Amino acid sequence: MSDSTGTGSTPETTLEKPGEGLPGAVRLRVAPSPTGDPHVGTAYMSLFNLAFARQQGGRFVLRIEDTDRARFRADSEQQVFDTLHWLGLTWDEGPDVGGPCAPYRQSERLDTYRPYVERLLAEGRAYHCWCSTERLAAMREEQQRLKQPTGYDRLCVGRTEDERRALPGFSETPVVRMLIPDDAPLVFDDLIRGRVSAPRPDDQVILKADGFPTYHLAVVVDDHEMGITHVVRGEEWISSTPKHVLLYQWLGLEPPRFAHMPLLRNTDKSKISKRKNPAARLTWFREEGYLPEALVNFLALLAYPPAEGAEGEDVEVFTPEEFSARFSWSEVNPVGPIFDLKKLDWLNGVHIRRLEVDDLASRLLPFLVADGVLPESPSLGELARLRAVTELIQTRMAHLTEATDLVAPFYVPDDAVEVADDARAQLTEDAAQVLDAAAEALGALPDEHSGVLGSQASWTAGPIEAALRAAVVDGLGIKPKFAFGPLRTAVSGRRVSPPLFESMEILGKTATLTRLATLRATL
């Protein structure tokens, strides 16, 4: 492998196969920048990288590209780790787990890039540029005024520092630019798009004045040094690929295969961004009560067709393992997908209903604690009730955040149920009569326990429903559609609530009668 010790020696010119001597049949990476809340695109790219890596028995690498020091945020890296772990998109090598190519943070690899820069300068492939930011801004402004293509005008090419100093707009600290040849390769093969043409690049900066490499140099060097065989990234990087191909050629390195994924788009077809759309923030999905399984499923469907069922029907609900097993780059849709949250809501509901009750209850718990429904250390009785309530509401949620409104009434004092305005407004003039008849019927029901450790109760939904139908529907002649509204309001304080008779079973006889009496007293 080429010299990366930082001793200043020139990397060798041997043509080397990436990944030689490194683990994994193929090696793929995701390389987010820690500049704020992780973008949903990081998860999107990670999923497709990981699907192929796992299918091929390869390795998935997480690299932190933190050379943009102006936008760097110290807490952002941990957010990347946390959100990708939450989604189950785990990596084999990275800053937190180590690996044979450590370090995996670009800021810790500065000595690695210097020999490559020195070689490009020595071979005339790159040059120092002393132009000040003010001069470059004025140059671009003039180009735009004249409707010319914007790009560096090569004022510094072929000049020594002293020669350039004699000209206007000089900066004491130079950058290093690529010297793009007239015959730069502008066409490359893409695993998703086939043969792709890109515009001719200008003389890209590859080493900044602060000594940090730009993305374009660092990505080529790091992908080579880390043995990356397939570079999977967003389509916005298509225009930069000629620069990267040139660097691979100049440095005598074998380039990876490229796959440029379609960009995620808003409903107006604009690129999804954190500034304009909260759903671009990866942390937002956890806050809003989405399941990680649903989000991963959704991200896969954005750029990949559903599986096919036994009858030829679309199967849109699948696991990452199922996705990986049938994955092919040729099936990726290159058209930018619309980020349709309605579809995600539907998927989330499907995945919620597929969970085991105990699993769902444990996922609801943090939201219920955060909203003050349950204490941070619930009692065994409170947890047992949560499991019973979760079973009732599992089919009624699209988001985990919806649980609070459904669960809270089960944890308030029975004589202090807060009745919502819309629930009280729909009470009819016969509400008092309904509550009286229900209380009498329920009061007559036995509340006994028998069997092993009292596991068989007589106060259950079946007898409760039978007694109420006899007393209210048959006894008072009120249609079922209207008969149970006052009872639902008394038990939950809500116009819409979990199943009524099962709710009464969970609350118990005494609590149920207290709640009926409490509402009755206000009528």
Side-chain angles (χ1 to χ4, degrees):
M1 179 166 283
S2 55
D3 186 328
S4 61
T5 61
T7 59
S9 58
T10 302
E12 297 173 6
T13 57
T14 56
L15 198 68
E16 229 178 312
K17 289 188 176 181
E20 195 168 352
L22 293 172
V26 297
R27 291 176 61 83
L28 293 91
R29 51 76 174 167
V30 68
S33 298
T35 55
D37 286 357
H39 194 282
V40 66
T42 298
Y44 171 63
M45 295 299 167
S46 296
L47 171 62
F48 282 78
N49 274 282
L50 192 56
F52 184 67
R54 293 290 177 259
Q55 182 194 75
Q56 300 294 317
R59 302 271 283 189
F60 178 48
V61 177
L62 173 64
R63 185 171 72 224
I64 298 296
E65 297 196 343
D66 57 351
T67 57
D68 187 347
R69 305 312 287 179
R71 298 173 60 217
F72 171 77
R73 261 183 46 183
D75 61 336
S76 183
E77 180 182 295
Q78 189 60 48
Q79 286 184 323
V80 170
F81 297 160
D82 292 345
T83 49
L84 291 183
H85 274 304
W86 172 66
L87 290 168
L89 302 173
T90 53
W91 47 97
D92 304 300
E93 303 171 25
D96 56 334
V97 296
C101 301
Y104 292 90
R105 294 182 186 89
Q106 286 186 336
S107 61
E108 297 172 2
R109 298 173 59 81
L110 298 185
D111 287 346
T112 302
Y113 310 116
R114 177 61 66 175
Y116 291 89
V117 175
E118 295 299 336
R119 172 175 165 182
L120 293 172
L121 287 168
E123 294 179 356
R125 311 280 196 185
Y127 60 94
H128 287 106
C129 172
W130 289 273
C131 290
S132 65
T133 54
E134 294 78 12
R135 181 190 180 268
L136 294 173
M139 177 197 72
R140 281 190 292 270
E141 188 177 318
E142 179 67 7
Q143 289 170 341
Q144 290 168 355
R145 187 184 70 80
L146 297 174
K147 294 183 169 51
Q148 296 174 346
T150 55
Y152 183 57
D153 60 5
R154 293 185 166 176
L155 178 64
C156 293
V157 172
R159 287 191 165 92
T160 65
E161 180 177 352
D162 288 339
E163 289 170 342
R164 177 61 186 85
R165 187 186 296 273
L167 300 174
F170 178 83
S171 171
E172 291 290 342
T173 311
V175 300
V176 176
R177 292 181 180 272
M178 297 173 66
L179 183 59
I180 303 295
D182 293 337
D183 60 350
L186 305 179
V187 179
F188 64 93
D189 291 317
D190 188 279
L191 289 167
I192 296 171
R193 301 162 188 275
R195 200 77 169 149
V196 175
S197 296
R200 186 179 184 281
D202 71 341
D203 287 6
Q204 177 68 50
V205 174
I206 56 174
L207 190 71
K208 295 180 283 187
D210 60 5
F212 279 74
T214 62
Y215 168 83
H216 303 283
L217 176 73
V219 73
V220 167
V221 171
D222 286 342
D223 283 345
H224 166 68
E225 298 255 341
M226 295 182 182
I228 301 304
T229 59
H230 296 72
V231 168
V232 183
R233 58 191 179 192
E235 64 183 282
E236 73 269 33
W237 294 109
I238 287 176
S239 61
S240 295
T241 304
K243 305 170 194 175
H244 304 163
V245 171
L246 262 180
L247 287 170
Y248 279 108
Q249 289 181 358
W250 289 347
L251 296 168
L253 308 175
E254 183 176 325
R257 304 291 300 277
F258 292 103
H260 287 92
M261 293 286 295
L263 289 179
L264 304 179
R265 300 194 177 276
N266 297 308
T267 51
D268 64 358
K269 306 293 181 68
S270 63
K271 176 183 173 183
I272 190 169
S273 70
K274 291 186 288 185
R275 289 191 303 277
K276 297 180 180 179
N277 190 338
R281 290 190 302 112
L282 202 45
T283 52
W284 180 83
F285 297 94
R286 196 170 189 172
E287 296 162 1
E288 292 296 309
Y290 287 101
L291 296 183
E293 301 95 319
L295 180 55
V296 168
N297 191 163
F298 175 68
L299 292 174
L301 284 172
L302 285 175
Y304 206 84
E308 186 175 305
E311 305 296 324
E313 76 280 12
D314 286 347
V315 178
E316 295 190 306
V317 181
F318 46 79
T319 66
E321 292 74 23
E322 291 166 338
F323 177 57
S324 180
R326 65 185 180 91
F327 183 78
S328 171
W329 290 114
S330 64
E331 292 293 311
V332 177
N333 187 347
V335 179
I338 300 299
F339 206 85
D340 181 5
L341 287 177
K342 290 181 181 178
K343 182 64 168 284
L344 176 56
D345 289 342
W346 171 78
L347 274 173
N348 207 51
V350 171
H351 280 276
I352 284 175
R353 292 188 289 277
R354 288 187 167 201
L355 292 177
E356 295 291 333
V357 173
D358 287 331
D359 186 4
L360 178 56
S362 69
R363 300 193 197 206
L364 295 179
L365 189 57
F367 292 93
L368 298 171
V369 170
D371 290 340
V373 176
L374 285 168
E376 286 194 15
S377 300
S379 67
L380 291 177
E382 288 169 326
L383 292 174
R385 174 167 286 195
L386 175 58
R387 188 196 186 284
V389 175
T390 298
E391 198 165 7
L392 283 191
I393 66 175
Q394 186 163 14
T395 61
R396 297 175 174 238
M397 289 186 297
H399 294 224
L400 300 184
T401 49
E402 295 167 4
T404 290
D405 200 48
L406 296 166
V407 173
F410 290 89
Y411 292 94
V412 298
D414 299 313
D415 59 355
V417 175
E418 187 175 334
V419 178
D421 291 341
D422 63 341
R424 188 175 291 279
Q426 58 95 45
L427 292 175
T428 56
E429 58 185 18
D430 57 11
Q433 190 180 9
V434 169
L435 290 168
D436 289 339
E440 183 177 351
L442 295 177
L445 284 181
D447 183 14
E448 301 166 349
H449 290 79
S450 60
V452 179
L453 298 176
S455 58
Q456 295 177 348
S458 60
W459 177 266
T460 58
I464 292 169
E465 180 178 2
L468 290 175
R469 287 189 180 279
V472 181
V473 178
D474 301 334
L476 299 180
I478 302 175
K479 293 181 179 180
K481 181 178 179 181
F482 305 106
F484 303 123
L487 306 182
R488 195 181 305 282
T489 299
V491 166
S492 69
R494 308 290 199 272
R495 189 172 62 84
V496 179
S497 72
L500 177 61
F501 313 117
E502 289 81 358
S503 295
M504 289 179 168
E505 177 183 331
I506 291 171
L507 288 168
K509 181 175 180 178
T510 301
T512 297
L513 291 174
T514 299
R515 292 181 181 220
L516 297 183
T518 300
L519 179 61
R520 175 67 180 86
T522 68
L523 301 178

